Amino acid sequence: MKYIEKRKPPESLERYKGTAGANFDDLPSNVKSELKQQLADEQGDICCYCGKRISPDHHSVIEHLLPKGDKRYTHLQLVYTNLVCSCDGGKQERTGRPKREKKLFPSHCDDKKNDSIIPVTPLDENVESLFSYDDEGHIYGRTTDAQKAIEILNLDCSTIVHRRKAAFEAYSSLDSAFDIEWASEIARLKGRNKGNQYEEYCFAVIYFIEHYLAI
């Protein structure tokens, strides 16, 4: 996970909240579109949980940190600080495939979480320090709560592990071919590119560089 610094909510969402019977499932399309766009922008176009590249109109969903399906948190369904943008957790990849092929795209992130509550979230300022990675792309929780979040979101599933490993290997090959100033590269990865995006899996790549390359 990468820390998300929340912005002010979109004005269209705040106006809609003032209407009678306002609820998330009945969000007008224009309000939902603006909301999803801002959430994605806020996150630098990466999934709030795994770090995969997302866009508002491609394989992404608006996620409730405290689930709207749990009656205890229904009142938070339109509260902006309870909303983030997640990848669809492999749901699109599984659609229409035979059962044997669906296993190649395990459920993760929003699709796996469903109405569960994760004990650590991307809104925790120190969230990035709660996880570690090996050079094969596997993720580990440094605390009991972090490990529980990994299990709830299935962040160590084969799909994400393979993608993280590919991101790591890109840097391993660079390390053998070029004399890289790792401190500068880490600083770049901590920021956004010219498109105002974070690099995919940037927080995991930073860990990999710091613990496996810049030594």
Side-chain angles (χ1 to χ4, degrees):
M1 292 185 200
K2 184 172 187 356
Y3 170 59
I4 298 171
E5 186 174 355
K6 299 297 287 182
R7 302 173 181 170
K8 292 182 179 179
E11 291 184 4
S12 59
L13 175 65
E14 294 301 284
R15 287 194 299 269
Y16 175 69
K17 285 166 62 176
T19 63
N23 66 88
F24 183 81
D25 291 334
D26 292 331
L27 270 177
S29 59
N30 65 311
V31 177
K32 187 172 185 178
S33 176
E34 182 180 357
L35 172 61
K36 201 174 186 184
Q37 180 68 61
Q38 178 163 315
L39 291 172
D41 289 346
E42 189 173 70
Q43 298 167 200
D45 291 336
I46 60 174
C47 173
C48 61
Y49 296 134
C50 71
K52 174 186 176 181
R53 171 72 65 229
I54 60 171
S55 68
D57 56 357
H58 184 67
H59 292 201
S60 63
V61 295
I62 296 175
E63 153 74 346
H64 291 76
L65 295 173
L66 293 173
K68 65 183 178 68
D70 187 321
K71 292 182 179 179
R72 294 174 297 174
Y73 307 113
T74 302
H75 65 290
L76 299 177
Q77 62 184 296
L78 294 174
V79 174
Y80 187 67
T81 51
N82 192 43
L83 304 175
V84 287
C85 195
S86 168
C87 70
D88 70 359
K91 187 174 182 178
Q92 183 66 36
E93 286 90 344
R94 292 190 298 275
T95 300
R97 293 179 181 270
K99 187 175 182 180
R100 66 181 182 278
E101 291 184 14
K102 290 182 179 181
K103 295 179 180 179
L104 299 174
F105 305 96
S107 175
H108 56 87
C109 295
D110 166 82
D111 190 57
K112 182 67 173 178
K113 175 178 173 285
N114 202 0
D115 284 340
S116 299
I117 299 173
I118 50 176
V120 297
T121 80
L123 304 191
D124 298 330
E125 290 188 11
N126 299 317
V127 68
E128 294 168 51
S129 68
L130 301 180
F131 301 93
S132 61
Y133 309 84
D134 65 21
D135 58 354
E136 293 296 309
H138 292 283
I139 184 173
Y140 305 91
R142 288 178 158 178
T143 66
T144 301
D145 283 347
Q147 187 58 40
K148 186 175 181 181
I150 291 172
E151 294 166 3
I152 292 173
L153 298 168
N154 203 18
L155 294 179
D156 202 44
C157 70
S158 58
T159 299
I160 304 176
V161 169
H162 291 159
R163 289 170 178 166
R164 278 195 296 256
K165 184 179 180 182
F168 294 169
E169 289 178 340
Y171 277 87
S172 295
S173 62
L174 285 175
D175 185 41
S176 61
F178 301 97
D179 182 17
I180 298 176
E181 176 52 56
W182 291 118
S184 296
E185 184 59 18
I186 289 171
R188 186 188 73 81
L189 287 166
K190 287 182 177 180
R192 301 181 183 230
N193 61 28
K194 292 181 179 179
N196 201 37
Q197 297 175 321
Y198 288 117
E199 298 293 335
E200 275 192 302
Y201 312 110
C202 56
F203 46 91
V205 171
I206 289 171
Y207 181 95
F208 176 73
I209 291 174
E210 291 179 334
H211 291 80
Y212 295 96
L213 299 181
I215 54 178

